[in-house]
Amino acid sequence: MNIENYNVNSPIFKPTLFFNRFCVSFFSTTATTTTIQVMDSIAETQRTLYPYVTGSSVVAIKYKDGILMAADMGGSYGSTLRYKSVERVKPIGKHSLLGASGEISDFQEILRYLDELILNDNMWDDGNSLGPKEVHNYLTRMMYNRRNKFNPLWNSLVLGGVKNGQKYLGTVNMIGMSFEDNHVATGLGNHLARPILRDEWHENLTFEEAVRLLEKCMRVLLYRDRSAVNKIQISKITEEGSTVYAPFSLKTYWDFSAFKNPTAGAEGSW
Amino acid sequence: MTKQHANWSPYDNNGGSCVAIAGADYCVIAADTRMSTGYNILTREYSKISQLAEKSVMASSGFQADVKALQKVLSARHLIYQHQHNKQMSCPAMAQLLSNTLYYKRFFPYYSFNVLGGLDSEGKGCVFTYDAVGSYERVGYSSQGSGSTLIMPFLDNQLKSPSPLLLPAQDAVTPLSETEAVDLVKTVFASATERDIYTGDKLEIVILNASGIRREYMELRKD
């Protein structure tokens, strides 16, 4: 702990308080000088090392009228399925949807930052509103700056929206890497869902086609991602606005002969 | 108790290759449009080329978050330059700025491997090649990125510059015509795509000459 003495030879000097790192203990004034004793009490700043409560994949696609985004409602605590009603897709402002995988508490903090961003935008009251491109840029800068300080927000985010007829779908992860595409996914969704989307996505999918495509992706994730839960929420954003649909569960089929007798082709295997 | 270190890396490599070739009165800058991570392809249509000034175009491969931040810093600095000097930055000036910007983060580098191409104040093509911390030199042609080990020897074979130690100094720019140089770039990328898994999808070519700037695209193998 350092104790530093500042001698300031100005009668009009006003001491300022630095909240996080220093605390002004006392100051005495003589006729010509003001002495302030400051105690330096910096604690070693803590940084994120690993996530605690996590959400699994988010999958999103562009379709005819806008963007469709799907995520399950699970919040895992390591290998325990701790929370089963976590909403991982939220509307942002009038034009965007944000979906997140990774640390849930960091997602909630991001929502608070975006709340402030949208609030300040609304306070201008000038008829303009932040579109998905602007929100995506803000998120990218925020994630990159946290990464620069070695204290990342442990999330992979999907940001989709429509403004003035222009559809936008982008993603950004915890090291600040971002891009936009016609279909995006986070985590295991990149491995399991993107190949399906590369094969079956096309321009101007109808709403029903798009929902069926997303359900197909979520079903594969349900079968093959151990942190997936069978409680899916699909959200939609169009020029008219956003809709978060009620949660539903997918029908699964476990009577495949390969599941019933998995070692039929390889004796001794499991 | 030893300090717990992050088992998390702030870096990633998004792959890709960049090439630039300088001619007598033109400059060709090209890069593929694939963005990958590990063995995954993230997107097939990501541009690695950024126009920093009227006669300076930069292609960068490496970690895309750092590349994007670098492009933003340079754009902002160029805008300030324009406000202060009422003119565009020349390519050699931009080259020095890029070097200084990279060295500024010498102890937490931008993981970005750049080639800067453009026209100098005499209208001749110029290419500058960089490493991640800003060491640079003016050359007649260069390549950077995951495919550079495959591309560079081929360019050396086709475009070998005379030694910079010769007296009188000989021109490093290629005597090839603009169309020949663009064809060479297309050939070079088609070859690199065959053997480098991180190069492919689509090739973006930017050609700078006295009449302005032009863009061309070519499909590459998607596997």
Side-chain angles (χ1 to χ4, degrees):
Chain A
M1 219 162 47
N2 302 324
I3 299 181
E4 291 156 294
N5 287 309
Y6 293 96
N7 275 312
V8 183
N9 290 315
S10 162
I12 54 164
F13 177 75
K14 285 186 203 114
T16 49
L17 273 166
F18 300 99
F19 288 96
N20 289 333
R21 298 167 65 146
F22 302 97
C23 55
V24 178
S25 49
F26 67 93
F27 65 98
S28 62
T29 321
T30 64
T32 50
T33 63
T34 306
T35 312
I36 299 161
Q37 278 204 306
V38 173
M39 281 199 285
D40 189 283
S41 55
I42 311 164
E44 174 67 38
T45 32
Q46 295 196 306
R47 299 148 168 190
T48 311
L49 293 173
Y50 27 75
Y52 286 87
V53 179
T54 55
S56 71
S57 320
V58 179
V59 186
I61 55 177
K62 281 188 194 171
Y63 77 106
K64 186 159 65 78
D65 306 321
I67 311 289
L68 222 56
M69 202 179 293
D72 65 30
M73 299 193 77
S76 311
Y77 185 64
S79 53
T80 312
L81 212 205
R82 177 71 183 81
Y83 301 101
K84 296 195 265 188
S85 293
V86 181
E87 281 195 31
R88 297 198 288 116
V89 182
K90 295 282 190 182
I92 309 291
K94 281 194 287 214
H95 304 287
S96 318
L97 278 178
L98 174 66
S101 69
E103 173 64 58
I104 300 294
S105 62
D106 281 348
F107 176 49
Q108 290 171 343
E109 198 178 318
I110 291 168
L111 290 175
R112 273 191 286 273
Y113 280 122
L114 287 176
D115 218 14
E116 213 179 302
L117 182 75
I118 301 292
L119 184 72
N120 284 318
D121 186 44
N122 290 340
M123 288 204 289
W124 286 108
D125 200 22
D126 57 1
N128 191 27
S129 47
L130 289 172
K133 285 189 208 197
E134 290 88 63
V135 179
H136 187 224
N137 190 55
Y138 178 83
L139 287 170
T140 306
R141 289 301 105 217
M142 190 167 72
M143 303 298 271
Y144 184 70
N145 275 298
R146 289 288 298 254
R147 163 263 187 199
N148 282 347
K149 297 188 224 170
F150 277 80
N151 187 20
L153 288 160
W154 206 282
N155 295 107
S156 289
L157 305 171
V158 173
L159 197 294
V162 201
K163 192 176 171 197
N164 297 332
Q166 271 211 315
K167 298 186 280 257
Y168 184 87
L169 181 57
T171 180
V172 58
N173 69 5
M174 66 163 132
I175 47 173
M177 188 167 62
S178 71
F179 62 92
E180 46 160 325
D181 209 338
N182 296 318
H183 45 80
V184 296
T186 67
L188 270 171
N190 268 315
H191 293 89
L192 298 171
R194 288 306 283 291
I196 299 173
L197 294 169
R198 286 220 174 90
D199 210 20
E200 298 184 27
W201 183 91
H202 57 85
E203 292 269 8
N204 297 320
L205 287 161
T206 65
F207 178 71
E208 291 74 27
E209 286 176 329
V211 170
R212 242 178 294 134
L213 189 52
L214 273 184
E215 281 185 1
K216 187 171 183 179
C217 294
M218 298 307 284
R219 184 170 290 108
V220 172
L221 284 165
L222 183 60
Y223 283 131
R224 293 295 178 177
D225 178 1
R226 76 161 169 88
S227 50
V229 295
N230 198 0
K231 191 174 171 190
I232 317 287
Q233 221 177 14
I234 290 191
S235 311
K236 165 184 91 164
I237 183 144
T238 61
E239 194 73 55
E240 284 79 52
S242 59
T243 320
V244 179
Y245 290 101
F248 65 96
S249 58
L250 290 164
K251 281 203 190 54
T252 54
Y253 182 71
W254 297 98
D255 281 329
F256 289 110
S257 55
F259 288 172
K260 282 192 186 168
N261 198 10
T263 62
E267 285 307 316
S269 174
W270 67 93
Chain B
M1 180 172 131
T2 47
K3 180 175 164 182
Q4 268 215 298
H5 281 273
N7 49 8
W8 157 89
S9 169
Y11 291 114
D12 192 12
N13 189 355
N14 300 121
S17 315
C18 314
V19 163
I21 301 176
D25 60 350
Y26 66 87
C27 187
V28 178
I29 302 101
D32 69 324
T33 61
R34 174 177 285 179
M35 183 168 154
S36 8
T37 173
Y39 284 118
N40 290 356
I41 296 176
L42 291 172
T43 184
R44 298 189 191 274
E45 293 189 59
Y46 191 87
S47 174
K48 298 186 184 53
I49 301 181
S50 160
Q51 185 174 19
L52 301 174
E54 194 188 347
K55 300 204 169 99
S56 305
V57 173
M58 177 175 80
S60 321
S61 88
F63 175 43
Q64 281 311 314
D66 275 347
V67 166
K68 203 178 231 156
L70 181 64
Q71 288 170 349
K72 276 177 176 257
V73 166
L74 293 170
S75 288
R77 290 297 300 273
H78 184 235
L79 191 62
I80 294 168
Y81 182 95
Q82 285 179 286
H83 288 151
Q84 289 176 340
H85 303 282
N86 196 23
K87 64 174 183 175
Q88 294 273 325
M89 263 176 101
S90 67
C91 196
M94 186 59 84
Q96 186 68 59
L97 177 63
L98 173 54
S99 170
N100 292 150
T101 309
L102 290 168
Y103 197 80
Y104 198 76
K105 290 224 325 143
R106 169 67 176 77
F107 299 109
F108 185 16
Y110 288 111
Y111 191 80
S112 167
F113 299 95
N114 314 294
V115 282
L116 180 70
L119 302 169
D120 64 16
S121 5
E122 295 163 21
K124 269 212 308 241
C126 61
V127 169
F128 298 90
T129 187
Y130 295 80
D131 71 359
V133 286
S135 98
Y136 80 114
E137 70 170 325
R138 181 169 176 176
V139 288
Y141 59 90
S142 181
S143 72
Q144 289 284 350
S146 58
S148 67
T149 45
L150 299 166
I151 295 173
M152 205 58 181
F154 188 83
L155 290 179
D156 283 335
N157 178 270
Q158 298 292 307
L159 301 170
K160 185 69 188 173
S161 307
S163 169
L165 302 166
L166 285 172
L167 271 178
Q170 286 189 25
D171 225 345
V173 299
T174 177
L176 288 179
S177 73
E178 190 184 295
T179 16
E180 285 174 325
V182 172
D183 268 343
L184 177 61
V185 160
K186 291 180 178 174
T187 310
V188 137
F189 266 90
S191 307
T193 304
E194 292 290 315
R195 294 289 181 176
D196 177 25
I197 59 172
Y198 298 110
T199 303
D201 291 332
K202 203 158 71 170
L203 171 62
E204 184 183 5
I205 310 172
V206 173
I207 304 112
L208 266 173
N209 54 26
S211 25
I213 188 168
R214 192 175 97 243
R215 231 162 263 259
E216 258 187 64
Y217 293 94
M218 185 183 93
E219 293 294 319
L220 294 170
R221 282 185 66 158
K222 301 186 188 313
D223 61 0

